[in-house]
Amino acid sequence: MTGWEDIRAEVQARIRSGVWPLGSAIPHEEDLARDFGCARATVNRALRALAAQGVLERRRKGGTRVLAVPVRKATVSIPVIRAEVEATGRRYSHQIIWQATGQENTLHLETLHLADDKPYAHEVRVLHLAVLPPLPDLTAISINEWLVTTVSYATGEIAFSAAAADAGQARALWVPTGTPLFVITRETRNAAAQVITKVLLAHAPGYHLRTTM
Amino acid sequence: MTGWEDIRAEVQARIRSGVWPLGSAIPHEEDLARDFGCARATVNRALRALAAQGVLERRRKGGTRVLAVPVRKATVSIPVIRAEVEATGRRYSHQIIWQATGQENTLHLETLHLADDKPYAHEVRVLHLAVLPPLPDLTAISINEWLVTTVSYATGEIAFSAAAADAGQARALWVPTGTPLFVITRETRNAAAQVITKVLLAHAPGYHLRTTM
DNA sequence: GAGTGGTCTAGACCACCAA
DNA sequence: TGGTGGTCTAGACCACTCC
């Protein structure tokens, strides 16, 4: 009857109804546990979930407060491109358009990802070889997929934007220069905060990145 | 010494090193708890976190297995536009460009969001009035912000894409027709799965949606 | 049906940080 | 420095599913 999901819903209801206004502090876990007639751990689970959603802000000693500015948070999946293509029933392939070694032991790679032999996404990547194991044969497995399965879990930043196709992207994706492209840029670092790779991925027109709230 | 984060790291290490190959099943929580010398709840917390990350797949009775295709998951914040603008130190304002009532008790709204009086984003929205409380004065508070603070937590779908500016967007955002725009479309439903609102939000050039992994 | 993850409890200790 | 959230434990019951 009083699962942590129920408590999450009840807390949300109290915020929405104004019992706990935006920006205000809410009672401590122990008080809430007594109110709801459950263990503190159950309250804790509910409040942690709300904090992860962006509804609450929690601080040791500072207590829990309702965020003054509600923020919707959505989780987006960044799949391996091969899986993304095959999920739509198409055949995946990729071509290395160009590669060169750069300064500081880096490898620059320009790759075209295809779905049923039609351009799907154009990728420009810089790899920092010093912080990576020896590379595999990149014609057999895309660098994208190899990194995900090989490198230990890493942190990084992602940015999504729209940009006009430059000459290289236009040629690779069979579109006129200036065509709007959905662009994902990523910078990935290993556990020691060393940059592993930087990527700029431009998707062919029609691409949508979908998620649910 | 053996916190749930340590266990998560250890499980990830075993997956990465091939002890537990992609697609394979891993031991039950109880076994792992004995191995790691901790309570089952601690293992559970770690494995749940990995499942949320997209590393593991868990099913009652079916056990836990390593996903065959690793998926990176990133959480993006969808802020209220006013807060988003003010976070950059600029002054927020908005204008209702056009509105009209449509079929089935709907309200169509075209809004321009501004930062320091320069176009920031162009919004086209359909509201289903039957499932909403009476609307406020929309010149005082943007519909965006009112919905977030008023409507009970809702589910919905979001999609990100790139599109060429149409005539209306171009006029509102002071850009030529055809300019690449970052577009967010949203469909929000209430707890009864009734559609509350649909939005198409086109951002002025230069917009980036950022997040971390 | 039975095995596995999902969750709750009551108690405890700890880490952090605002007062 | 004391209060608050973060976490761990040992045990228990439950719900979902695969067999």
Side-chain angles (χ1 to χ4, degrees):
Chain A
M1 192 70 177
T2 53
W4 69 270
E5 298 251 36
D6 299 308
I7 292 179
R8 170 168 70 176
E10 173 61 21
V11 170
Q12 275 190 332
R14 292 191 186 180
I15 293 170
R16 176 183 21 133
S17 65
V19 176
W20 294 330
L22 297 182
S24 69
I26 76 175
H28 316 152
E29 291 187 350
E30 205 165 348
D31 291 345
L32 288 175
R34 223 181 310 106
D35 283 3
F36 291 129
C38 66
R40 181 166 81 93
T42 307
V43 173
N44 180 280
R45 177 94 185 256
L47 297 190
R48 263 192 297 116
L50 286 170
Q53 277 182 32
V55 175
L56 299 177
E57 182 188 31
R58 321 195 69 201
R59 227 173 294 171
R60 282 165 153 131
K61 165 74 178 182
T64 301
R65 51 179 53 249
V66 184
L67 277 183
V69 180
V71 177
R72 291 287 175 103
K73 292 193 177 173
T75 302
V76 296
S77 297
I78 318 279
V80 171
I81 297 179
R82 180 178 61 74
E84 192 177 20
V85 167
E86 291 175 349
T88 66
R90 290 178 288 178
R91 192 172 55 80
Y92 172 77
S93 59
H94 73 280
Q95 303 169 354
I96 296 176
I97 297 176
W98 179 82
Q99 64 177 299
T101 53
Q103 297 182 333
E104 296 179 9
N105 199 17
T106 57
L107 178 64
H108 295 243
L109 269 179
E110 185 181 352
T111 307
L112 178 63
H113 302 270
L114 302 107
D116 279 350
D117 296 321
K118 284 180 289 191
Y120 183 80
H122 176 261
E123 174 185 308
V124 177
R125 180 187 292 268
V126 179
L127 284 159
H128 290 257
L129 301 177
V131 295
L132 285 170
L135 296 188
D137 173 10
L138 292 179
T139 58
I141 183 174
S142 83
I143 180 68
N144 179 301
E145 190 160 1
W146 179 77
L147 278 172
V148 170
T149 57
T150 305
V151 175
S152 85
Y153 217 76
T155 60
E157 287 143 31
I158 311 182
F160 307 99
S161 59
D166 65 22
Q169 292 164 340
R171 198 179 324 114
L173 296 174
W174 303 353
V175 297
T177 303
T179 301
L181 301 178
F182 186 78
V183 172
I184 303 178
T185 59
R186 263 183 290 179
E187 183 171 316
T188 307
R189 281 184 289 275
N190 64 14
Q194 297 169 307
V195 174
I196 297 172
T197 183
K198 294 185 190 182
V199 197
L200 192 156
L201 191 63
H203 287 82
Y207 181 81
H208 287 69
L209 184 67
R210 299 173 204 280
T211 185
T212 58
M213 289 194 291
Chain B
M1 193 70 176
T2 52
W4 68 271
E5 299 250 35
D6 299 307
I7 292 179
R8 170 168 69 177
E10 173 61 21
V11 171
Q12 276 189 333
R14 292 192 186 180
I15 293 169
R16 176 183 21 128
S17 66
V19 177
W20 295 330
L22 296 182
S24 69
I26 75 174
H28 316 152
E29 292 188 350
E30 206 165 347
D31 292 344
L32 288 175
R34 222 181 311 107
D35 282 3
F36 291 129
C38 67
R40 182 167 80 95
T42 307
V43 173
N44 181 280
R45 177 92 185 258
L47 297 189
R48 263 192 297 117
L50 287 170
Q53 275 182 34
V55 175
L56 298 178
E57 182 189 30
R58 321 196 69 199
R59 225 176 295 173
R60 282 165 153 128
K61 166 75 177 183
T64 302
R65 51 180 52 248
V66 183
L67 277 182
V69 179
V71 176
R72 292 286 174 107
K73 291 193 179 174
T75 301
V76 297
S77 298
I78 318 281
V80 171
I81 297 179
R82 180 178 61 74
E84 191 177 22
V85 167
E86 291 174 350
T88 65
R90 291 178 288 178
R91 191 173 55 79
Y92 171 76
S93 58
H94 72 279
Q95 302 168 354
I96 296 177
I97 296 177
W98 179 82
Q99 62 177 299
T101 53
Q103 296 182 333
E104 295 178 10
N105 199 17
T106 57
L107 177 65
H108 294 244
L109 269 178
E110 185 180 352
T111 307
L112 178 63
H113 302 270
L114 302 108
D116 279 350
D117 296 321
K118 284 180 289 191
Y120 183 80
H122 176 261
E123 175 185 308
V124 176
R125 181 187 292 269
V126 179
L127 283 160
H128 290 256
L129 300 178
V131 294
L132 284 170
L135 296 189
D137 173 10
L138 292 179
T139 59
I141 182 173
S142 82
I143 180 68
N144 181 300
E145 190 160 0
W146 178 78
L147 279 172
V148 170
T149 59
T150 305
V151 176
S152 86
Y153 216 76
T155 60
E157 287 143 29
I158 309 182
F160 307 99
S161 59
D166 65 24
Q169 292 164 340
R171 199 180 322 115
L173 296 174
W174 304 352
V175 298
T177 303
T179 301
L181 300 178
F182 187 79
V183 172
I184 304 179
T185 58
R186 261 183 291 178
E187 183 171 316
T188 307
R189 281 184 289 277
N190 64 15
Q194 297 170 305
V195 174
I196 297 172
T197 183
K198 294 185 188 180
V199 197
L200 192 157
L201 191 63
H203 287 82
Y207 182 81
H208 286 70
L209 184 67
R210 297 173 205 283
T211 186
T212 58
M213 288 192 291

